[in-house]
Amino acid sequence: MSSSAPAGAPSRPVRVLLVEDDELMRRSFTVALERYGYEMAAAADGLEGLELFRDRDEGFDLLILDVMLPGLDGIGLCRRVRETSLVPVLMMSARGDGLDVVAGLEAGADDYVVKPVDTYVLVARIRSLLRRATYAPTAPGSENAADTGSPSEGEVLVFGDLTIDTAGMEVSISGSPVALTPTELKLLLEFAAHPGVVLERHTLLRDVWEYGWDGDSRVVDLCVQRLRRKLGRERIETVRGFGYKFRR
């Protein structure tokens, strides 16, 4: 059998930390993701995961956290990570009611999947998160520039005291930097590309999260709530029955 990674594997090793207490699932995901070219580190509980995260000199490109973990659960671990890092976080939950998912997103996770999950779905979610983390607006004259409505590369957008530097991927209010997760930043850029326009939740799911969400729009609502806490509630208006509008 060939040892080469499957088509679509990343061009350089992407460092992923998996924190999962089920040994069989932990080993299965580790082996499967290594086949796709990811450089894996794994922990069996939240405290071990936090130690690995803090001690890894070169850092991680992405974290995959189970919700139900011994010692320190995935939600608590995500909160601890968010104290010092904006690394993309993918949360996993075995519960289908979504309560743990909502708590995880509120803690700062960027995405979630419900277990059991097929490897190809997990890989698709990872790729989506990594694209958000390295998101650059479409440059003028590129093939999809007219379709996406994204801000031009290197453009500085100003909305009152809010400044968005699309080249440096930096956001500030009255000159003070605002720390946004990759998903929060991409959502803000989507709003900034359509000021004064009502964007429906399913449109934001498609354009920001990039994959269908089984009709669950709570992820959009929670991310908007996080943006409002960081930018001010008045910047994003709720249009009941439709979606959200970014004020000019």
Side-chain angles (χ1 to χ4, degrees):
M1 181 181 294
S2 172
S3 60
S4 61
S11 58
R12 69 164 183 83
V14 173
R15 297 180 290 271
V16 176
L17 173 60
L18 169 66
V19 187
E20 166 62 64
D21 63 325
D22 185 290
E23 183 177 0
L24 180 60
M25 190 171 295
R26 187 171 64 252
R27 290 182 177 179
S28 175
F29 280 142
T30 297
V31 171
L33 292 176
E34 285 177 342
R35 288 188 62 247
Y36 277 86
Y38 296 100
E39 182 181 307
M40 299 297 298
D45 62 66
L47 292 175
E48 181 187 1
L50 182 61
E51 184 177 356
L52 275 175
F53 173 75
R54 288 175 170 174
D55 291 347
R56 183 75 173 252
D57 291 337
E58 63 271 34
F60 290 96
D61 298 299
L62 183 136
L63 274 56
I64 304 174
L65 309 179
D66 185 24
V67 171
M68 303 298 291
L69 293 170
L72 178 66
D73 66 19
I75 293 169
L77 177 53
C78 185
R79 288 196 181 102
R80 300 287 288 275
V81 167
R82 283 289 174 254
E83 291 174 359
T84 60
S85 174
L86 297 177
V87 62
V89 174
L90 173 62
M91 193 75 73
M92 295 195 297
S93 173
R95 298 184 180 182
D97 59 13
L99 294 178
D100 285 332
V101 171
V102 170
L105 292 169
E106 281 282 74
D110 296 283
D111 198 351
Y112 77 83
V113 291
V114 177
K115 297 188 294 185
V117 56
D118 292 328
T119 300
Y120 74 90
V121 173
L122 185 61
V123 170
R125 293 295 194 190
I126 290 172
R127 289 173 176 167
S128 177
L129 277 174
L130 292 174
R131 281 195 296 272
R132 285 179 235 164
T134 58
Y135 176 77
T138 306
S142 65
E143 181 179 358
N144 297 319
D147 296 330
T148 63
S150 299
S152 300
E153 183 178 5
E155 187 177 359
V156 176
L157 307 176
V158 179
F159 301 92
D161 60 350
L162 173 66
T163 301
I164 306 170
D165 181 351
T166 64
M169 292 290 102
E170 296 176 346
V171 178
S172 62
I173 296 178
S174 299
S176 298
V178 178
L180 301 180
T181 68
T183 301
E184 291 166 356
L185 177 58
K186 189 168 183 182
L187 179 59
L188 176 59
L189 287 168
E190 191 68 23
F191 279 131
H194 306 90
V197 176
V198 177
L199 299 179
E200 297 181 350
R201 289 175 176 83
H202 71 84
T203 300
L204 293 170
L205 283 173
R206 181 197 67 204
D207 294 343
V208 176
W209 281 264
E210 302 181 16
Y211 290 91
W213 212 273
D214 300 326
D216 189 350
S217 63
R218 286 174 296 180
V219 62
V220 175
D221 299 333
L222 290 168
C223 197
V224 167
Q225 289 176 21
R226 296 205 305 264
L227 267 182
R228 283 171 168 167
R229 285 198 292 267
K230 294 180 178 182
L231 304 179
R233 293 192 58 83
E234 71 283 354
R235 297 189 191 277
I236 304 173
E237 177 184 349
T238 300
V239 181
R240 295 191 180 278
F242 294 94
Y244 296 100
K245 179 169 64 174
F246 186 72
R247 293 181 176 174
R248 298 176 184 272

